[in-house]
Amino acid sequence: MIATAVIMAVAFAVVYFVVQGTVYQNLDNDLSFEAEKHTTEIIVVGDSVKIRNKREWEEREHGEVQVNPVFIQILNKKGEFMDKSPNLKEDVLVFNPEQNYGGHFNELLNNRAIRQVQMPIEENGKIKGFILAAMSLEASKMVLLNLRNVLIISYLFLLSGLYFISRYLAGRGIIPVKIITATTKRITKSNLNERVVLPQNKDELYELSSGINQLLQRIESAIERERQFTSDASHELRTPLSTLKGTLEVLIRKPRERSEYEDKIKFSLTEIDRMTAIIEQLLVLARLDTNSIKVDRKLVALPTIIDDILSRHKKFILERNLAIDFHNGATLEALVPQYYSNLILENIIGNAIKYSNDATTIHIDIALLDSKVVCEIRDEGIGIKKADLNNLFRHFFRSDALNHKSISGNGLGLSIAKKAADAIQAEILIESEFGIGTTFTIQF
């Protein structure tokens, strides 16, 4: 409103001063014309300056109807009065020696405003006197006064109207913002499923509402994951803790043999190791979820990572009489991020070793496909049921776990592999036939 008020004030001021300038310019043109015209009716005799045929001038003046009469006055070169037009009667025009010759200025005649010009009367290049011409300024001043009043009233009226119209339009335009504000105030942790109503017009407010809804969806998903994660973690940790507590309670009920104490302590240590492994994997998942982990993203050859992993699992491979068929078809060009690739392959190769049948072969192939490094890991193990394939990356999910109690695990390995793959925009594909084997394909 302040900016609009300033712009309107400038525009109205320009209109007023343009009209004022036009009015004065027309008056000045008429005055200059009359002064020049009457100069030809002047006669110079010595130091005297007179109006030629003054009687004829008086008769012409009495016979004409003058709407805006012109007053003429003659002065000698000293500025002394010589003669004047009959319509001046008893009044005289004021000579102003400070004004430039030919300049126009405002004066008073009988307490009424006039516009006046004074021009020199020259003969042979010498100033013999002055001619003063004047016209009434009352009508022009009245026009300008009326124009000023109209502009001021119009300015106030338009500004007031614009204020109320703008207030009304702004009030209507801000309704969606009020709806968004009210909705967001109602949303708490307990009702994150509520969403902001999208406006009909797909404007900036629509984009804002859509962005808020997307943000709420992400927050709701994150909190839901947190709830599920907390629930699963509590369940997984509660079981070994209960087992450990029960074992120790039974152990202290009565004195036992040394061998019994050793067996129970070993069993307890095994449960503690399992809990430690779960906690470590939970920490890795938490870091991957929040992207708070800072790692060295340097690239290394994929065969090097696989060799290191196989070396760490060498004992289990030998115990189960497994064969490794490793085929590298990408040579030295198979470079991948070291940290995340190690997380992915450690869990997938570890699962292949755990779930393979004894005396079978694990096939590992590396190839380049459309500028991507592709690693395929295929085992000849127990396989995965079709119904479980979509749940493999869920926290603590283990396919057909009750029938494979002898195989250790907590269902976090593939979740970690998936999070690590997402961190480097890699993709994990799974194909499996129950009872025959499983194939994991990782595209880096």
Side-chain angles (χ1 to χ4, degrees):
M1 287 301 300
I2 293 175
T4 304
V6 172
I7 293 173
M8 288 177 58
V10 171
F12 281 20
V14 169
V15 170
Y16 177 80
F17 286 113
V18 167
V19 173
Q20 184 188 56
T22 302
V23 169
Y24 277 105
Q25 185 178 4
N26 289 334
L27 278 175
D28 293 343
N29 291 339
D30 291 343
L31 280 174
S32 297
F33 173 78
E34 293 292 337
E36 292 287 346
K37 183 180 72 173
H38 287 89
T39 301
T40 59
E41 300 175 353
I42 292 173
I43 182 172
V44 179
V45 179
D47 292 333
S48 299
V49 184
K50 299 290 184 179
I51 298 175
R52 182 185 296 148
N53 300 324
K54 185 174 181 181
R55 186 183 300 277
E56 180 182 342
W57 192 3
E58 290 177 352
E59 291 177 357
R60 185 172 68 245
E61 184 176 284
H62 286 296
E64 294 177 351
V65 178
Q66 295 183 337
V67 178
N68 194 14
V70 179
F71 305 104
I72 302 296
Q73 182 171 302
I74 308 298
L75 304 177
N76 62 14
K77 62 181 180 180
K78 295 180 181 179
E80 297 172 346
F81 175 80
M82 292 281 104
D83 208 344
K84 62 181 178 179
S85 59
N87 56 7
L88 273 174
K89 302 186 185 312
E90 301 299 325
D91 299 317
V92 293
L93 301 176
V94 177
F95 176 66
N96 190 347
E98 295 180 0
Q99 290 290 337
N100 295 328
Y101 298 149
H104 301 82
F105 54 94
N106 295 337
E107 272 294 347
L108 292 175
L109 179 64
N110 197 18
N111 294 324
R112 300 184 68 180
I114 60 172
R115 185 73 170 168
Q116 184 172 319
V117 64
Q118 53 192 37
M119 300 180 64
I121 301 171
E122 296 181 346
E123 187 178 74
N124 298 325
K126 294 182 179 180
I127 296 177
K128 296 297 184 176
F130 299 93
I131 181 171
L132 278 60
M135 296 178 69
S136 174
L137 194 58
E138 292 291 321
S140 298
K141 292 188 71 174
M142 184 62 66
V143 169
L144 292 176
L145 179 62
N146 291 337
L147 175 63
R148 186 192 67 183
N149 294 337
V150 168
L151 289 177
I152 291 175
I153 294 172
S154 300
Y155 175 77
L156 296 176
F157 177 77
L158 289 175
L159 201 60
S160 301
L162 184 61
Y163 170 77
F164 289 107
I165 292 173
S166 300
R167 185 180 179 86
Y168 171 74
L169 294 177
R172 290 194 59 184
I174 207 170
I175 289 176
V177 178
K178 291 182 177 179
I179 294 174
I180 293 172
T181 304
T183 304
T184 52
K185 285 182 178 179
R186 289 197 305 269
I187 295 173
T188 62
K189 190 176 182 180
S190 58
N191 65 332
L192 279 172
N193 58 335
E194 187 171 352
R195 296 292 181 267
V196 176
V197 178
L198 296 178
Q200 294 181 351
N201 298 326
K202 293 188 176 182
D203 52 10
E204 292 80 1
L205 288 176
Y206 181 92
E207 295 294 331
L208 175 62
S209 302
S210 179
I212 291 175
N213 286 342
Q214 293 174 12
L215 174 62
L216 290 173
Q217 182 62 46
R218 291 194 296 271
I219 294 174
E220 183 182 10
S221 299
I223 291 178
E224 184 60 32
R225 287 196 304 269
E226 178 188 345
R227 288 172 180 168
Q228 186 63 41
F229 184 78
T230 303
S231 175
D232 293 341
S234 299
H235 174 74
E236 289 296 320
L237 291 174
R238 189 182 298 117
T239 301
L241 283 173
S242 299
T243 303
L244 187 59
K245 181 180 178 182
T247 300
L248 294 176
E249 287 176 345
V250 170
L251 193 61
I252 63 173
R253 284 180 182 174
K254 62 179 182 179
R256 300 178 186 275
E257 297 295 330
R258 177 183 177 88
S259 59
E260 282 190 83
Y261 283 115
E262 289 179 352
D263 289 341
K264 295 301 181 182
I265 291 173
K266 288 179 181 179
F267 176 77
S268 299
L269 290 174
T270 302
E271 290 298 307
I272 292 173
D273 289 340
R274 191 157 75 91
M275 284 192 296
T276 302
I278 292 174
I279 292 171
E280 288 177 351
Q281 288 182 314
L282 288 175
L283 288 174
V284 171
L285 274 173
R287 290 169 181 167
L288 289 174
D289 272 332
T290 59
N291 294 322
S292 63
I293 189 168
K294 295 182 180 179
V295 298
D296 185 1
R297 290 178 175 267
K298 69 179 180 179
L299 301 178
V300 297
L302 183 56
T304 303
I305 295 177
I306 294 175
D307 286 337
D308 291 341
I309 294 172
L310 292 175
S311 296
R312 291 196 294 269
H313 291 276
K314 185 176 181 180
K315 177 183 177 182
F316 302 100
I317 294 172
L318 293 175
E319 287 177 355
R320 305 193 57 194
N321 196 24
L322 298 175
I324 305 296
D325 179 20
F326 185 13
H327 178 257
N328 180 15
T331 64
L332 297 177
E333 298 180 15
L335 298 177
V336 293
Q338 182 179 20
Y339 178 80
Y340 292 108
S341 301
N342 186 72
L343 280 179
I344 297 168
L345 293 170
E346 173 68 33
N347 286 287
I348 292 177
I349 293 176
N351 282 350
I353 294 171
K354 283 194 299 183
Y355 292 101
S356 289
N357 294 320
D358 292 343
T360 57
T361 302
I362 297 175
H363 305 271
I364 303 175
D365 293 313
I366 300 175
L368 287 177
L369 180 63
D370 298 332
S371 72
K372 289 186 176 181
V373 179
V374 179
C375 179
E376 184 180 277
I377 301 167
R378 178 167 56 90
D379 64 59
E380 298 172 1
I382 61 178
I384 304 169
K385 294 180 179 179
K386 297 292 184 184
D388 293 337
L389 288 176
N390 293 330
N391 297 317
L392 287 181
F393 297 117
R394 281 176 47 198
H395 301 335
F396 303 107
F397 178 81
R398 297 187 69 195
S399 177
D400 203 19
L402 294 177
N403 293 325
H404 306 101
K405 292 182 179 180
S406 59
I407 301 175
S408 62
N410 50 41
L412 289 174
L414 288 181
S415 296
I416 293 175
K418 183 66 170 63
K419 292 290 183 183
D422 292 342
I424 57 173
Q425 289 79 49
E427 187 177 4
I428 301 176
L429 305 175
I430 307 172
E431 294 179 2
S432 183
E433 290 189 32
F434 188 67
I436 296 177
T438 303
T439 301
F440 280 84
T441 302
I442 306 102
Q443 296 180 356
F444 293 95

